[in-house]
Amino acid sequence: MSDYIQTISFEEAEKIAERAAFEQLEPFMNNSTIDVLEKKFFEAECCWFFFRNRQIEGPPEQNLRWGRAYAISKKGELRLIVDFLDEPDKLQEYLLTMSNHFKEKKL
């Protein structure tokens, strides 16, 4: 298998995640001056995970819309993912799973 070559910077990935988060979270934001993303992020070989600002929440029945996290491959591919920020073991396992997925698919 060929090596995975990163084509975007962390800053570019963060911008992709911010745009996606704003699109998902804007209807649930009551304060437009707060950041849509948490400062905390996680990195693996082929991706970064970003998380919504915990101050932004919506109704439980719309959790699939506002309760997601954002995986950005190091080639700029976006995936909305399960938010395991509060479950460190699951988070690390999922981070490696997604990184391997991006690598295998060359995304």
Side-chain angles (χ1 to χ4, degrees):
M1 186 182 331
S2 64
D3 290 333
Y4 186 88
I5 299 172
Q6 177 176 336
T7 59
I8 67 168
S9 67
F10 170 80
E11 292 77 15
E12 291 168 314
E14 187 175 39
K15 292 286 184 210
I16 293 168
E18 284 174 346
R19 282 192 300 273
F22 185 78
E23 287 176 13
Q24 294 291 311
L25 300 173
E26 188 208 10
F28 309 105
M29 295 174 66
N30 55 15
N31 180 349
S32 62
T33 63
I34 65 170
D35 293 331
V36 294
L37 297 177
E38 287 284 329
K39 299 290 184 219
K40 186 180 285 192
F41 68 91
F42 288 82
E43 181 177 8
E45 178 186 5
C46 302
C47 66
W48 295 276
F49 280 9
F50 299 92
F51 304 89
R52 73 172 165 80
N53 184 327
R54 293 306 200 238
Q55 295 177 30
I56 304 169
E57 291 186 347
E61 66 272 10
Q62 293 185 31
N63 182 267
L64 288 179
R65 182 153 183 214
W66 62 263
R68 303 301 223 149
Y70 308 88
I72 311 297
S73 79
K74 293 190 176 179
K75 293 182 183 284
E77 289 289 321
L78 163 71
R79 297 292 185 271
L80 297 179
I81 59 171
V82 176
D83 186 335
F84 286 128
L85 185 58
D86 299 326
E87 300 178 64
D89 292 339
K90 286 183 180 181
L91 173 62
Q92 286 302 318
E93 182 179 334
Y94 199 37
L95 181 63
L96 292 176
T97 297
M98 287 302 298
S99 182
N100 288 335
H101 168 77
F102 287 132
K103 186 174 189 173
E104 288 171 11
K105 300 294 184 184
K106 299 180 180 160
L107 298 174

